[in-house]
């Protein structure tokens, strides 16, 4: 057997975000295994330039066209190719300059480049859960057709993926997605009505981008993850259970037909599922802090309170009804979170906005990609109009 090491060329889409930066830490720590060959960012040109100078990628993409001259100027002395604008994300995703895409753009914006990578036969390490929430059927069908793996980065799905190794012939009875519960665990509506953005941005266990942090505080994140799990693991809605597990140590579990349960455990540190997805099928040594059972006297699990955290109930409805409803819900949620972060609406008004948009956007049971894109646009405009955004 050859001992020659193959360096995996990673395209980090969304390199300036929380996942993107942690992925670059993993890549930097393993220069014999990985290189960062594509870096993309929407706005944060200073960080993108800094990353480009450090990692010498083949290509960088800056989403905001206005930032292009500054990036171009800063990287003038280097051979790095610089692209800008939304369309160039898809163009670069189709290029044969990388081996694995890390899809770490946030929101609906990640769908097209991720789908382009899959259509071009590129394996994807998927952090951008919204891609599967919006158009999971289309993305997964394409992945099967192209015979490429979609390796989850989301910690719960990485846990399930790891539990399923060696179990290809054994049907899943159910999966249990664990949720930290966010900063407002145990709180009731009379408290939530007064919650402000600063409070909602304080997550007890994870340090993440703003959108997913708000989604965690409303439990919408877990709703999106139920839909993500459905597509990744080909599950029926009733096979997906959510349990609140405030310690965030058990990252998720799978129960098989014999009743046996497998779980994956570890400290809440996204570098671990990121590293696992980049290195799959191998595990690589690292110096991350390790879980020690002696420091945890109890690991607890309880039912989520979906009467108070109604976003999770709405997501369960979208999961059940399928069609374009998850896409509509996702679009309304993106508008709601944006408006909440801008202090334009209150914490509970986010739920009302999502619910109204789900009720009023035309339902399509088996949408095409174009219809998903149209539903997203319709729902965004509808939601933004309600709150005069
Ligand atoms: P973030 O906001 O920190 O970073 C988002 C990245 O996407 C940035 O590089 C940004 O420049 C880019 N981006 C934003 N809008 C864009 C647009 N319109 N077009 C192109 N690029 C755009 O987000 P994050 O917390 O790193 O999350 C990224 C994804 O990973 C999300 O889908 C999130 O749900 C998922 N995820 C994150 C975590 C976490 O710990 N942060 C955990 C699990 C899953
Ligand atoms: Mg998660």
């Amino acid at each position: 057997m050859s001992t020659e090491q193959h360096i995996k060329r990673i395209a980090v889409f969304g390199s300036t975000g929380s996942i993107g930066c942690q992925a670059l830490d993993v890549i930097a720590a393993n220069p014999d295994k990985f290189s960062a060959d594509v870096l993309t960012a929407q706005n944060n040109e200073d960080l993108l330039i800094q990353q480009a100078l450090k990692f010498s990628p083949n290509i960088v993409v800056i989403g905001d066209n206005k930032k292009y001259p500054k990036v171009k100027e800063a990287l003038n002395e280097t051979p790095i190719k610089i692209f800008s604008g939304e369309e160039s994300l898809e163009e670069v995703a189709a290029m044969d300059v990388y081996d694995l895409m890390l899809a770490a753009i946030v929101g609906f914006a990640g769908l097209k480049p991720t789908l382009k990578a899959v259509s071009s036969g590129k394996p994807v390490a998927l952090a951008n859960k919204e891609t599967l929430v919006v158009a999971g059927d289309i993305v997964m069908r394409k992945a099967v057709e192209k015979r490429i793996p979609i390796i989850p980065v989301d910690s719960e799905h990485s846990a399930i993926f790891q539990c399923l190794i060696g179990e290809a012939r054994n049907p899943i009875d159910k999966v249990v997605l664990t949720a930290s519960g966010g900063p407002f665990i145990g709180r009731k509506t009379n408290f939530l009505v007064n919650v402000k953005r600063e409070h909602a941005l304080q997550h007890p266990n994870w340090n993440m981008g703003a959108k997913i942090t708000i989604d965690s505080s409303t439990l919408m994140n877990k709703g999106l993850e139920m839909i993500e799990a459905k597509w990744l693991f080909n599950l029926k809605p009733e096979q997906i259970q959510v349990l609140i597990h405030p310690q965030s140590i058990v990252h998720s579990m799978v129960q098989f037909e014999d009743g046996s349960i497998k779980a994956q455990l570890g400290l809440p540190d996204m570098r671990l599922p990121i590293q696992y997805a980049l290195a799959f099928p191998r595990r690589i040594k690292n110096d991350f802090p390790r879980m020690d059972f002696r420091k945890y006297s109890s690991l607890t699990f309880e039912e989520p309170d979906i009467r108070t955290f109604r976003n999770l109930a709405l997501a369960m409805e979208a999961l059940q009804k399928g069609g374009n409803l998850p896409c509509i819900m996702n679009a309304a949620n993106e508008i709601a979170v944006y408006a909440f972060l801008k202090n334009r609406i209150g914490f509970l008004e986010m739920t009302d906005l999502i619910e109204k948009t789900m009720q009023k956007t035309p339902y399509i049971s088996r949408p095409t990609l174009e219809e998903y894109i149209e539903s997203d646009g319709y729902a965004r405009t509808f939601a933004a109009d309600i709150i005069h955004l």
Side-chain angles (χ1 to χ4, degrees):
M1 214 168 70
S2 158
T3 52
E4 199 179 300
Q5 283 255 355
H6 169 65
I7 295 192
K8 220 185 258 182
R9 299 169 303 167
I10 314 291
V12 186
F13 275 62
S15 66
T16 54
S18 158
I19 293 288
C21 289
Q22 293 179 83
L24 288 178
D25 289 345
V26 169
I27 292 170
N30 296 281
D32 56 328
K33 295 185 179 65
F34 308 120
S35 61
D37 285 61
V38 176
L39 301 175
T40 88
Q42 182 61 14
N43 293 308
N44 193 342
E45 75 279 15
D46 291 329
L47 182 54
L48 182 67
I49 291 166
Q50 207 181 308
Q51 293 177 337
L53 292 172
K54 178 169 177 193
F55 288 90
S56 303
N58 194 325
I59 292 174
V60 301
V61 183
I62 179 77
D64 183 349
N65 288 316
K66 292 194 293 295
K67 310 276 172 82
Y68 176 80
K70 186 170 173 191
V71 178
K72 177 88 186 142
E73 164 79 25
L75 302 179
N76 223 354
E77 305 287 299
T78 74
I80 302 169
K81 297 188 246 343
I82 301 144
F83 291 72
S84 76
E86 196 188 322
E87 292 77 32
S88 52
L89 287 172
E90 278 187 87
E91 205 181 312
V92 172
M95 289 180 185
D96 202 9
V97 293
Y98 68 97
D99 302 311
L100 174 77
M101 172 192 276
L102 174 68
I105 288 175
V106 59
F108 178 85
L111 170 64
K112 287 186 189 170
T114 308
L115 190 55
K116 184 60 83 174
V118 176
S119 308
S120 312
K122 298 290 188 183
V124 172
L126 186 77
N128 176 239
K129 64 193 86 189
E130 295 91 345
T131 283
L132 291 184
V133 172
V134 172
D137 54 342
I138 291 177
V139 176
M140 294 312 289
R141 219 182 303 135
K142 198 44 104 182
V144 169
E145 181 193 316
K146 295 284 177 181
R147 295 166 185 248
I148 57 123
I150 296 194
I151 309 153
V153 169
D154 215 349
S155 57
E156 298 76 3
H157 307 74
S158 175
I160 294 167
F161 186 87
Q162 293 180 53
C163 292
L164 291 176
I165 287 181
E167 305 283 0
R169 286 157 175 267
N170 294 322
I172 298 171
D173 196 38
K174 70 170 188 205
V175 302
V176 178
L177 291 178
T178 52
S180 69
F184 308 130
I185 186 168
R187 298 293 192 175
K188 296 291 173 200
T189 305
N190 59 356
F191 177 89
L192 295 177
V193 71
N194 295 317
V195 158
K196 297 283 174 278
R197 81 189 275 283
E198 286 64 34
H199 198 182
L201 281 171
Q202 303 294 322
H203 195 280
N205 302 345
W206 301 94
N207 187 4
M208 310 178 286
K211 194 243 173 195
I212 184 174
T213 305
I214 300 303
D215 284 346
S216 299
S217 75
T218 63
L219 294 197
M220 177 56 92
N221 184 48
K222 213 47 55 179
L224 299 175
E225 290 184 356
M226 292 178 82
I227 300 167
E228 181 185 15
K230 166 193 155 122
W231 293 118
L232 279 171
F233 307 114
N234 196 17
L235 299 169
K236 296 194 182 69
E238 54 277 16
Q239 288 177 292
I240 309 168
Q241 188 184 3
V242 169
L243 284 181
I244 303 291
H245 167 50
Q247 299 83 17
S248 295
I249 295 295
V250 176
H251 295 311
S252 277
M253 312 181 228
V254 179
Q255 183 157 46
F256 295 93
E257 287 189 320
D258 61 356
S260 192
I261 296 175
K262 278 166 89 172
Q264 186 262 342
L265 286 72
L267 293 178
D269 181 343
M270 281 310 293
R271 290 174 304 172
L272 194 49
I274 292 169
Q275 176 183 292
Y276 183 82
L278 297 187
F280 178 77
R282 292 185 49 205
R283 291 184 183 273
I284 51 185
K285 220 175 155 132
N286 59 39
D287 60 1
F288 306 161
R290 299 208 164 198
M291 156 73 183
D292 179 349
F293 273 100
R294 290 168 299 189
K295 295 192 181 138
Y296 290 85
S297 57
S298 69
L299 297 177
T300 59
F301 303 89
E302 60 188 275
E303 287 277 353
D305 175 2
I306 62 171
R307 282 169 196 264
T308 305
F309 293 88
R310 288 204 305 120
N311 277 7
L312 184 54
L314 290 175
M316 287 171 171
E317 182 193 336
L319 171 71
Q320 278 290 349
K321 293 195 179 149
N324 63 344
L325 200 55
C327 167
I328 295 165
M329 178 193 76
N330 178 69
N333 182 55
E334 287 191 27
I335 296 293
V337 172
Y338 174 84
F340 176 71
L341 284 170
K342 294 268 178 213
N343 295 317
R344 298 286 294 271
I345 60 174
F347 190 81
L348 294 176
E349 285 171 276
M350 287 193 276
T351 311
D352 299 335
L353 187 61
I354 298 163
E355 188 172 36
K356 273 201 195 100
T357 311
M358 285 170 72
Q359 284 163 356
K360 298 288 185 194
T361 306
Y363 177 74
I364 306 171
S365 62
R366 299 205 57 186
T368 61
L369 180 61
E370 290 65 37
E371 285 170 330
Y372 279 127
I373 293 167
E374 276 166 29
S375 301
D376 172 81
Y378 184 104
R380 270 169 208 275
T381 308
F382 182 88
D385 282 352
I386 294 183
I387 53 175
H388 311 292
L389 206 61

